[in-house]
């Protein structure tokens, strides 16, 4: 399943049940989490001041109850959302 994560930055996470996907900014994390939740994927945004601005992330909680195909789908949808997310840079600086 690691090939599905190509292009998704999981920081230093490896083999853990809590998987971060680094977004690079608080606004990106918040907007991505809103869209993923809208699509039925439960994810928590972690952003400044909880972490430094550049280390904002999405936090996924993985358990044995998740089917492998559901995890693959979630990774693919997450990659799609992040790839297509546009953030107004002026707005991002103002936040």
């Amino acid at each position: 399943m690691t090939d599905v994560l190509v292009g998704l930055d999981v920081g230093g996470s490896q083999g853990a049940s809590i998987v971060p996907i680094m977004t690079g900014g608080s606004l990106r994390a918040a907007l991505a989490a809103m869209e993923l939740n809208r699509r039925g994927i439960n994810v928590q945004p972690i952003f400044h001041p909880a972490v430094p601005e550049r280390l904002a992330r999405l936090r996924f909680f993985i358990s044995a109850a998740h089917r492998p195909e559901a995890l693959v789908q979630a990774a693919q949808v997450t990659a799609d959302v992040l790839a297509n997310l546009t953030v107004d840079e002026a707005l991002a600086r103002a936040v």
Side-chain angles (χ1 to χ4, degrees), residues 20-46:
I21 302 294
M22 309 309 285
T23 63
S26 294
L27 190 53
R28 282 182 58 79
L31 292 172
M34 287 174 40
E35 178 60 19
L36 289 166
N37 279 289
R38 189 186 72 73
R39 294 188 191 195
I41 297 173
N42 185 15
V43 61
Q44 304 305 311
I46 308 297

Side-chain angles (χ1 to χ4, degrees), residues 4-89:
V4 173
L5 296 176
V6 172
L8 293 175
D9 180 359
V10 296
S13 179
Q14 193 171 14
S17 60
I18 299 173
V19 179
I21 302 294
M22 309 309 285
T23 63
S26 294
L27 190 53
R28 282 182 58 79
L31 292 172
M34 287 174 40
E35 178 60 19
L36 289 166
N37 279 289
R38 189 186 72 73
R39 294 188 191 195
I41 297 173
N42 185 15
V43 61
Q44 304 305 311
I46 308 297
F47 45 79
H48 184 76
V51 296
E53 176 63 26
R54 64 183 175 75
L55 297 178
R57 65 198 68 186
L58 300 171
R59 183 172 286 169
F60 292 85
F61 295 90
I62 310 299
S63 78
H66 290 102
R67 295 182 335 274
E69 52 275 2
L71 296 174
V72 168
Q73 180 183 15
Q76 291 169 334
V77 171
T78 300
D80 180 61
V81 166
L82 289 173
N84 293 299
L85 185 65
T86 56
V87 175
D88 182 319
E89 292 304 318

